[in-house]
Amino acid sequence: PVASGIDAHITFQTAVAAGDTLLARAVEVQRSRRIGVYRIDVVREDGGGETPVSSFTGTVYIQG
């Protein structure tokens, strides 16, 4: 389906450098017939651990 963004919020917790390995995880937080809310978290992989880098929350209007 086609969806249009109606709200977005982004935070940046820490800086990254060239060569860092980043991993993004996305989840559908809530979905109705017309509205969807999504969250994406980005982490930097650090020798067996992870450091939070950024997070995004967005709301969309689902057309159709």
Side-chain angles (χ1 to χ4, degrees):
V2 175
S4 301
I6 57 175
D7 179 66
H9 179 77
I10 303 172
T11 63
F12 301 99
Q13 289 97 341
T14 191
V16 297
D20 284 350
T21 300
L22 304 179
L23 175 65
R25 294 184 181 103
V27 63
E28 186 175 66
V29 175
Q30 185 271 332
R31 170 87 185 261
S32 67
R33 221 180 64 162
R34 294 284 184 212
I35 300 290
V37 179
Y38 301 90
R39 179 176 174 92
I40 302 168
D41 293 305
V42 179
V43 297
R44 178 178 56 221
E45 295 182 329
D46 297 323
E50 296 178 345
T51 300
V53 170
S54 181
S55 62
F56 166 87
T57 303
T59 305
V60 299
Y61 174 77
I62 302 161
Q63 302 173 18

